Amino acid sequence: MLLVILNWLFSFCSSHSKWQKTTKTNFRKILKLVLWAGLIIFCINLIIKYPIHRHIGFDRMYKYMDMQKIPRSDVKSVRAFRSTKTDDYVYWVVLKDLENYRYEYGYNLKKDNMSLNISKKEYDDVYKYISDEEVATLKYKPLKESIYYFKK
C-alpha cells in the first residue's frame, strides 16, 4: 500500500512539466526522506509496543510471583494477551494445586507496575472475582499493595 502511494506521488510529481528538474529532485529527496523516517519510527514503535512489552511483562510477572513465594514448578498454565482498553499486558496464571482459581497479573510498561486480581472458576470458562475474605484464605496471597511499582 505504501509503495503504491509512493509510486503515485512520484509519477504525479514527474508529470508536471512546470517544475524545474532541480525542484523535482529536491522534492523527491525530501519526500523520500520523510516517508522513510516515518516508516522507521512506526516500525520501532511496533517493536517496542508489542514483543518487548510482552517480554518485560513476563519478567515482571515472575518477579512478582517470586515475591509471593509461588514456585515456577507450581504453574500449570500462563496465557498472555494485550488489553487495548488499559494499554497493559494481562497474564492469566493457573496453578497446579489451585486449579479453580485464576491469578490475573496486569503489567503497565509506562508506569512499570504490576497489579493482581484473583478470580474463581464458576463453570467452564466463566470466572468471578473473589472477595478479600476469600483471598485471605488462599495459599498464595497477593502483596499488601494492590498495585506494586518496581524500583529501577
Side-chain angles (χ1 to χ4, degrees):
M1 181 70 179
L2 183 62
L3 292 174
V4 172
I5 294 171
L6 284 173
N7 191 18
W8 180 80
L9 281 173
F10 292 144
S11 65
F12 177 76
C13 293
S14 62
S15 66
H16 292 330
S17 59
K18 295 178 185 177
W19 292 358
Q20 296 176 350
K21 187 167 180 87
T22 57
T23 308
K24 287 183 193 177
T25 56
N26 287 340
F27 178 72
R28 280 186 175 177
K29 286 179 183 178
I30 292 171
L31 182 64
K32 225 184 237 188
L33 184 66
V34 168
L35 290 174
W36 274 109
L39 183 65
I40 289 170
I41 290 170
F42 178 74
C43 290
I44 289 172
N45 188 27
L46 283 180
I47 290 169
I48 290 173
K49 196 164 195 147
Y50 295 104
I52 293 177
H53 187 173
R54 182 177 181 192
H55 178 73
I56 292 171
F58 265 115
D59 286 345
R60 298 292 197 220
M61 179 193 68
Y62 284 122
K63 283 182 185 178
Y64 191 92
M65 289 173 68
D66 289 342
M67 289 186 276
Q68 286 181 278
K69 296 182 176 50
I70 298 176
R72 292 188 187 187
S73 61
D74 198 21
V75 174
K76 180 180 178 182
S77 67
V78 178
R79 183 173 169 213
F81 63 93
R82 183 168 173 72
S83 171
T84 55
K85 183 177 179 182
T86 58
D87 199 31
D88 294 348
Y89 260 95
V90 178
Y91 304 91
W92 290 352
V93 178
V94 177
L95 303 174
K96 289 178 184 174
D97 55 349
L98 296 170
E99 290 188 21
N100 289 334
Y101 293 93
R102 179 172 65 193
Y103 286 73
E104 300 175 9
Y105 297 91
Y107 178 69
N108 188 311
L109 180 67
K110 293 176 186 169
K111 297 177 184 174
D112 196 26
N113 65 10
M114 180 71 68
S115 61
L116 172 63
N117 294 313
I118 302 172
S119 55
K120 186 175 184 177
K121 189 174 193 174
E122 293 285 314
Y123 53 89
D124 292 334
D125 283 337
V126 177
Y127 286 83
K128 182 180 177 184
Y129 291 114
I130 61 175
S131 65
D132 291 338
E133 294 81 24
E134 195 172 351
V135 169
T137 64
L138 291 176
K139 182 178 179 181
Y140 302 113
K141 298 168 184 54
L143 301 178
K144 291 180 182 178
E145 304 89 6
S146 60
I147 297 177
Y148 181 79
Y149 292 91
F150 293 94
K151 308 290 188 267
K152 291 188 177 183

